[in-house]
Amino acid sequence: MCPTVAVVEDDRELGRMLDRGLRAEGFDVLLTATGGELLAAAEESEPDAFVIDIGLPDSDGRDVCQALRARGVLGPVLFLTARGALTDRLSGFHAGGDDYLVKPFAFKELVVRLHALLRRSTEGEPRAGDDAGLRLDPRSHGVAVGGAEVPLTPTEYRLLAALVARPGEVVRRAELVAAGWPDGAIVHDNTLDAYVARLRRKLREIGREGAIATAHGIGYRFE
């Protein structure tokens, strides 16, 4: 059975090239142009891997990746981007990505990287997130449960996504700082705690009071 790769790329010419090339290499391809389209398609088909352009018209590809992880989607993610600075690469990994390819790139390298990611992928592991209908929207930076939704700041979004992607597991403070702020940012302990307090208030508004538990001296846990 051919592995399915979901590709989100808003450059039509590049998207068509990736579609044709990956199909010729034996992949089934699910081609989309926006983050919203990718999230909707991923719920229906559960692709084996993802190729995500970071610069999307409706959202940041890293936020899309975090939304996937928060929904329990574990397939490997390879980011495509024109930004190759160290801070950009690190932010992609902190968002839940598995590999990074800077444009312009050699198509053969993309194929080799995809095969390597699929070999290492954790097939058969249970889906981690998808918590009781809780949904993160990378387009609006909002979180919703049922019909209730509250807006989040970009930092709040990234912190909550890091927690929701690992339900029941303590996420260490250093990991949350890495997920929420750019590499090298000076973040004090009370700053992280203040953001978590804000998240708790917002989750309370949509009926999820007590969703974030404190592991004193270690980090926080989403329940």
Side-chain angles (χ1 to χ4, degrees):
M1 184 176 178
C2 297
T4 298
V5 178
V7 177
V8 55
E9 172 57 64
D10 66 316
D11 183 314
R12 292 186 178 181
E13 183 177 348
L14 179 56
R16 288 194 293 266
M17 183 276 287
L18 291 173
D19 188 28
R20 291 193 304 269
L22 289 172
R23 290 183 186 279
E25 292 289 336
F27 294 96
D28 286 333
V29 180
L30 180 60
L31 181 63
T32 59
T34 68
E37 291 175 3
L38 176 68
L39 291 173
E43 288 204 344
E44 296 181 2
S45 61
E46 297 187 24
D48 299 293
F50 298 83
V51 175
I52 299 178
D53 182 19
I54 286 182
L56 297 173
D58 65 335
S59 54
D60 187 304
R62 290 164 294 196
D63 293 338
V64 174
C65 179
Q66 286 193 301
L68 287 170
R69 298 307 189 216
R71 297 180 184 192
V73 178
L74 302 177
V77 170
L78 188 154
F79 284 121
L80 297 179
T81 181
R83 296 174 287 185
L86 176 61
T87 53
D88 294 317
R89 298 197 304 273
L90 291 176
S91 68
F93 289 118
H94 291 320
D98 300 279
D99 205 351
Y100 207 99
L101 201 53
V102 178
K103 299 176 181 178
F105 57 87
F107 177 73
K108 289 184 178 180
E109 182 179 3
L110 172 68
V111 172
V112 169
R113 287 176 181 266
L114 276 176
H115 281 302
L117 289 172
L118 286 167
R119 284 196 302 270
R120 295 195 300 266
S121 65
T122 53
E123 295 181 0
E125 286 193 6
R127 292 168 65 85
D130 203 15
D131 179 82
L134 187 147
R135 285 289 184 270
L136 287 166
D137 188 336
R139 296 162 295 180
S140 64
H141 278 156
V143 58
V145 175
E149 181 175 1
V150 291
L152 303 174
T153 67
T155 300
E156 290 169 349
Y157 176 95
R158 292 189 292 266
L159 290 174
L160 183 58
L163 289 165
V164 175
R166 295 160 61 179
E169 179 181 346
V170 174
V171 183
R172 294 182 174 274
R173 300 179 70 91
E175 295 177 278
L176 289 170
V177 169
W181 286 271
D183 183 62
I186 298 175
V187 182
H188 300 290
D189 284 348
N190 59 351
T191 302
L192 174 61
D193 296 334
Y195 270 89
V196 171
R198 287 161 53 177
L199 280 174
R200 284 171 167 157
R201 288 195 296 271
K202 291 186 176 184
L203 289 171
R204 189 182 307 125
E205 294 178 27
I206 55 175
R208 291 306 309 270
E209 184 171 2
I212 300 177
T214 301
H216 294 286
I218 303 174
Y220 292 94
R221 180 179 63 251
F222 189 84
E223 300 181 332

